Amino acid sequence: MSCTILILCFFLKLGSSESSIQDGFLFNGYFKFGDSAELNNSNMFSQVIYADSGLSKANQVFYNHPFKFKNSPTGSAFSFSTTFIVAVVAKDPEFNGHGLAFAISPSKGIPGALPNQHLGLFNASNNGNSSNHVVAVELDTDQDFQFNDIDDNHLGIDINGLVSVQSATAGYHDEHGRFKQLYLKSGKLIQVWVEYESLNQRLNVTIHPIKIPKPVLPLLSLTKDLSPYFFEVMYVGFSSAGGSKSSHYIFGWSFRMNGQADEINLSTLPDIPGVTRDNEGDAGDGYRKVQKILAVVLSLVGVIFLLLLIFGALMISRRRKFIQVLEDWEMLYGPHRFSYKDLFIATKGFRQRQLLGKGGFGRVYRGILPFSNVQIAVKRISHDSRQGMREFVAEIATIGRLRHPNLVRLLGYCRRKNELFLVYDYMPNGSLDKFLYQLPNCILNWKQRFKIIKDVASALFYLHQQWVQVIIHRDIKPANVLIDDQMNARLGDFGLARLCDHGNAPQTSHVAGTPGYIDPEIVQSGKSTTCTDIYAFGVFMLEVTCGRKPVDPQASLEKVVLIDWVMNCWDRGAILEAVDCKLGDDYVLHETELVLKLGLLCSHPVAAARPSMSSVVQFLDGAAQLPESLSSMTKSRDFGDDSGQGRVAYDEFPSGNVTIASLTFTESFASDGR
Ligand SMILES: *[C@@H]1O[C@H](CO)[C@@H](O)[C@H](O)[C@H]1NC(C)=O
Ligand SMILES: *[C@@H]1O[C@H](CO)[C@@H](O)[C@H](O)[C@H]1NC(C)=O
Ligand SMILES: *[C@@H]1O[C@H](CO)[C@@H](O)[C@H](O)[C@H]1NC(C)=O
Ligand SMILES: *[C@@H]1O[C@H](CO)[C@@H](O)[C@H](O)[C@H]1NC(C)=O
Ligand SMILES: *[C@@H]1O[C@H](CO)[C@@H](O)[C@H](O)[C@H]1NC(C)=O
């Protein structure tokens, strides 16, 4: 990872500022972090941007002058107190920005920091290192499992690293001691207090809406001597995870050593689009006017409400009839049917905050079933055709009976009007593609990867050959492989592509699947078979071993198509060159070689040349050897065309020169050749 570090320092007044140690400050302006930071008062602060080569930048704004945090290197840290008002305006509520943090750092800015999940505080190599000397309070709006985040709306105390020493869901305790949750991304103004008491060595963090006074009970209270983490002189500031998904505003900020931070004057806060004050004390001259408008609006709302009520009653009576008709046959699948109400409660009304992801087939929400408290993932699919619904549900019931340790269990379904809901076991670690591509410091080692490949093979073997019916998955790819809490791989979404064929295929005309994993033969025949899955599984094996996507348009020409690249390496007698460089030397030679060759064999352009899943499992377990003649048969595919742009022309596959005599798993290949 080559991270270009871009440093812009505005108005650095180093010489003069270092010497003047102060007690505190009060700032009644604001600054904004978005794609970049906008400073409203540039005399007081420095802006530092550390960027990686990606799309987001980590922004930091630090106060220009340092503070004295202790008297001598071994002395104990002084008390301090700071308060600021923050607003997070999410542009796309479905996708989380990662949040921001208040930070105390030895320098004006934190060098080398990365955006996104690193919150502009640390990077993959220095995260958790005690030589950082950074103490921070994060306002985190995304759940990063690698840092043990508790949810996607929490505060945490971070000492030298992003795994919080203490964290809690954002909220406050009201005067009766009841906990009230606050939603950080609401765009509302939230006041934050960070206070350290030298005597009791206690760090408190408190947040509250600006309309209520500061609660007595803090949200976080950490008893820890902070002295070892501070140098004598430290700087204070903010860092933002950056990105275009949300903007972070700081309105007013006061800081004081050895005393209580000054109150921020709320009446001087500027109005910013998207930021709600939510302040009840806004009365004044306009009060009457507001009352009048309110009266009109309320009576209008009343009339509309009445109309809706009548309309609703009509709708309900119609709907009841509709459900009754279907229930006769749906009764058959009784145990697999969930009530819409239960799913609605489980997912808190399908709130955006419960959204785990979006896929070709629909959105997936996290939920907790009422009564049983079982964690579930609910896939919501819209389904236009009423035709085939019966088949549809029958098939779901079948799939619901499948049991295999490497399959994500389908617990049941629910349907309502034009929507279908599939209920699965919840997998806390998310999908494999996240591990492969989105978590730079969570690199799977070879042992884990080999296990994942074997797990998926065993699941596919079960679907193809061990269950009473043959089940074709049709969409094997890392995004559909989920990782459970013990790092076992589990195949999800089985049979879905087929299901969606019955109704409306969302993306492609008839060929189901994801580009890059689609068997070239199916493009002509239009029929999926188990061979289609085996092709995709071949690509999957290569992908997991090489750590890159099957088609990468940005790569140099010979590397664009992964299969071609692995083939090319093999031709040159250097097949291991294709192995993911992130693995370093950490792999078992004969295993990687086996997986790469088997991957090529499975993704052979001619379906008949591909092994069955039972053979694949045997090869992977070492119970059978890859045939000697493998090299000639795999290499006989038409890869030679160096001028080829993008995809290989599989149509021109030369017939006849393929030796498969020693392979036992093929049907008549000769009759299949063209
Ligand atoms: C900063 O914002 C405050 C409040 O809106 C305003 O009074 C002040 O003029 C602004 N300063 C600069 C430099 O823009
Ligand atoms: C991480 O940050 C440190 C400074 O704390 C810097 O020296 C190092 O180069 C950074 N590493 C990466 C990979 O960016
Ligand atoms: C922590 O950082 C220091 C200085 O950057 C480095 O020498 C040391 O090896 C790091 N320690 C660990 C455990 O990474
Ligand atoms: C921190 O919170 C505790 C209550 O949990 C309180 O007794 C203590 O005075 C607080 N300290 C500061 C510095 O606010
Ligand atoms: C807050 O600011 C307003 C306008 O600048 C001023 O009139 C008022 O006195 C200030 N209030 C406090 C408590 O400082």
Side-chain angles (χ1 to χ4, degrees):
M1 271 169 291
S2 70
C3 300
T4 37
I5 295 180
L6 219 167
I7 306 179
L8 299 175
C9 293
F10 292 128
F11 308 100
L12 278 183
K13 292 186 187 169
L14 285 172
S16 64
S17 62
E18 299 283 12
S19 53
S20 55
I21 297 278
Q22 312 175 333
D23 276 347
F25 64 86
L26 170 65
F27 167 58
N28 267 324
Y30 76 98
F31 40 83
K32 172 192 173 188
F33 298 98
D35 300 325
S36 65
E38 281 167 30
L39 282 183
N40 156 288
N41 186 333
S42 30
N43 295 326
M44 284 172 88
F45 304 106
S46 301
Q47 181 197 10
V48 192
I49 303 176
Y50 295 99
D52 73 350
S53 50
L55 297 164
S56 326
K57 297 181 189 76
N59 291 290
Q60 298 166 354
V61 168
F62 271 74
Y63 186 61
N64 266 334
H65 304 275
F67 291 98
K68 192 151 197 168
F69 272 72
K70 48 189 193 183
N71 261 337
S72 67
T74 53
S76 60
F78 299 140
S79 299
F80 63 85
S81 158
T82 187
T83 184
F84 51 89
I85 292 167
V86 60
V88 179
V89 180
K91 287 185 192 132
D92 181 353
E94 286 180 20
F95 289 99
N96 295 324
H98 286 265
L100 72 163
F102 165 75
I104 305 173
S105 164
S107 52
K108 203 185 301 181
I110 311 172
L114 289 180
N116 300 331
Q117 71 267 32
H118 292 98
L119 295 177
L121 287 174
F122 303 105
N123 62 36
S125 50
N126 72 2
N127 183 37
N129 191 321
S130 60
S131 66
N132 290 334
H133 290 276
V134 170
V135 174
V137 173
E138 60 172 42
L139 283 77
D140 196 334
T141 53
D142 197 10
Q143 185 168 22
D144 293 298
F145 294 104
Q146 57 173 328
F147 302 133
N148 303 339
D149 282 357
I150 51 167
D151 60 19
D152 60 357
N153 185 49
H154 65 271
L155 274 83
I157 298 173
D158 296 349
I159 300 181
N160 289 332
L162 288 157
V163 177
S164 302
V165 181
Q166 196 180 86
S167 58
T169 298
Y172 63 97
H173 301 275
D174 70 7
E175 65 268 36
H176 309 294
R178 278 187 302 239
F179 183 72
K180 297 264 174 73
Q181 196 171 336
L182 281 178
Y183 186 38
L184 294 175
K185 279 191 296 179
S186 61
K188 291 188 179 148
L189 295 172
I190 294 174
Q191 185 156 13
V192 183
W193 298 80
V194 179
E195 296 155 297
Y196 179 70
E197 221 176 3
S198 179
L199 192 65
N200 300 320
Q201 303 182 330
R202 171 120 76 170
L203 182 67
N204 286 356
V205 178
T206 314
I207 67 169
H208 60 95
I210 55 166
K211 67 181 178 202
I212 69 156
K214 182 186 166 200
V216 181
L217 269 181
L219 175 67
L220 297 172
S221 186
L222 176 72
T223 308
K224 196 175 183 79
D225 181 11
L226 294 183
S227 316
Y229 309 106
F230 292 143
F231 290 123
E232 286 164 83
V233 164
M234 302 285 284
Y235 289 84
V236 291
F238 292 92
S239 74
S240 154
S244 47
K245 306 277 167 48
S246 52
S247 302
H248 303 142
Y249 293 91
I250 303 287
F251 295 98
W253 175 21
S254 80
F255 181 90
R256 184 156 302 281
M257 292 303 306
N258 298 309
Q260 170 102 24
D262 298 336
E263 266 293 351
I264 295 162
N265 188 340
L266 295 176
S267 62
T268 59
L269 300 185
D271 282 319
I272 302 286
V275 175
T276 350
R277 295 183 145 235
D278 198 25
N279 197 346
E280 288 169 346
D282 262 344
D285 287 345
Y287 190 60
R288 284 264 151 75
K289 228 192 247 167
V290 171
Q291 250 186 344
K292 253 189 202 163
I293 294 170
L294 211 69
V296 173
V297 169
L298 277 181
S299 51
L300 258 176
V301 166
V303 171
I304 292 171
F305 185 72
L306 250 169
L307 284 176
L308 276 177
L309 219 67
I310 295 166
F311 186 71
L314 281 174
M315 288 295 286
I316 287 172
S317 67
R318 270 194 55 187
R319 224 184 39 228
R320 231 181 238 153
K321 232 161 66 192
F322 183 55
I323 287 176
Q324 218 63 51
V325 174
L326 288 168
E327 264 181 357
D328 289 344
W329 58 267
E330 278 195 270
M331 289 302 255
L332 266 174
Y333 312 113
H336 293 294
R337 250 188 57 201
F338 282 83
S339 76
Y340 179 70
K341 199 174 134 209
D342 280 353
L343 297 187
F344 191 84
I345 295 170
T347 57
K348 304 199 175 125
F350 296 96
R351 256 204 258 173
Q352 300 292 10
R353 289 177 52 198
Q354 302 292 112
L355 195 73
L356 289 169
K358 281 200 281 197
F361 297 122
R363 289 155 185 241
V364 186
Y365 296 83
R366 179 168 55 188
I368 296 177
L369 280 179
F371 311 119
S372 62
N373 278 337
V374 169
Q375 292 212 74
I376 52 168
V378 182
K379 179 163 281 193
R380 183 182 201 171
I381 304 164
S382 70
H383 185 273
D384 287 339
S385 103
R386 262 209 267 152
Q387 231 182 6
M389 184 50 95
R390 228 176 144 137
E391 268 177 76
F392 214 91
V393 171
E395 201 154 334
I396 292 164
T398 308
I399 290 169
R401 287 200 294 270
L402 297 175
R403 289 289 178 271
H404 189 275
N406 300 115
L407 289 179
V408 178
R409 207 151 50 112
L410 178 71
L411 302 172
Y413 76 100
C414 160
R415 64 183 222 83
R416 175 176 170 266
K417 284 189 274 177
N418 292 336
E419 282 178 318
L420 181 72
F421 303 87
L422 299 177
V423 182
Y424 294 97
D425 272 340
Y426 172 67
M427 293 287 127
N429 277 333
S431 65
L432 174 61
D433 69 330
K434 211 180 76 184
F435 279 92
L436 288 178
Y437 305 115
Q438 284 162 34
L439 302 176
N441 54 355
C442 222
I443 294 159
L444 295 170
N445 63 30
W446 173 249
K447 212 174 134 204
Q448 287 167 322
R449 293 189 202 208
F450 194 47
K451 169 98 178 14
I452 286 167
I453 289 171
K454 290 213 273 195
D455 285 349
V456 175
S458 133
L460 258 188
F461 176 38
Y462 176 79
L463 292 180
H464 286 180
Q465 288 168 273
Q466 291 184 307
W467 173 249
V468 285
Q469 278 169 280
V470 176
I471 293 179
I472 301 169
H473 186 290
R474 294 189 182 210
D475 203 7
I476 309 263
K477 58 177 176 182
N480 283 337
V481 171
L482 296 148
I483 308 293
D484 71 13
D485 44 3
Q486 275 137 39
M487 293 305 281
N488 299 309
R490 287 162 173 253
L491 191 55
D493 267 2
F494 31 93
L496 248 203
R498 173 87 188 287
L499 293 181
C500 279
D501 271 3
H502 295 323
N504 54 328
Q507 327 130 304
T508 47
S509 51
H510 267 303
V511 181
T514 304
Y517 306 87
I518 299 176
D519 177 1
E521 282 213 339
I522 194 187
V523 179
Q524 286 152 16
S525 72
K527 272 201 304 195
S528 302
T529 62
T530 50
C531 296
T532 323
D533 274 355
I534 290 168
Y535 179 89
F537 180 64
V539 177
F540 172 84
M541 281 193 276
L542 298 180
E543 183 171 357
V544 173
T545 311
C546 307
R548 46 151 293 193
K549 299 243 158 92
V551 180
D552 179 3
Q554 252 117 56
S556 57
L557 196 59
E558 73 273 15
K559 291 191 185 177
V560 171
V561 179
L562 177 61
I563 300 179
D564 298 3
W565 169 240
V566 178
M567 202 62 219
N568 176 323
C569 292
W570 191 7
D571 276 344
R572 288 185 283 110
I575 195 167
L576 294 176
E577 213 175 276
V579 175
D580 189 353
C581 57
K582 290 197 286 298
L583 282 172
D585 290 333
D586 157 45
Y587 56 81
V588 182
L589 211 93
H590 71 271
E591 285 175 0
T592 31
E593 205 170 314
L594 167 73
V595 170
L596 288 173
K597 287 178 181 172
L598 191 56
L600 286 176
L601 183 61
C602 288
S603 56
H604 197 287
V606 174
R610 297 171 204 153
S612 68
M613 276 322 292
S614 57
S615 312
V616 169
V617 168
Q618 283 185 343
F619 291 140
L620 287 173
D621 285 342
Q625 295 290 311
L626 276 183
E628 287 291 305
S629 53
L630 177 69
S631 146
S632 64
M633 78 165 283
T634 322
K635 287 182 183 177
S636 65
R637 53 168 93 202
D638 185 25
F639 281 119
D641 185 9
D642 277 341
S643 69
Q645 292 161 4
R647 276 324 269 155
V648 179
Y650 286 110
D651 295 355
E652 290 154 28
F653 178 76
S655 58
N657 56 353
V658 180
T659 335
I660 49 163
S662 57
L663 302 177
T664 53
F665 40 74
T666 54
E667 293 104 30
S668 158
F669 173 67
S671 62
D672 220 359
R674 36 192 112 80

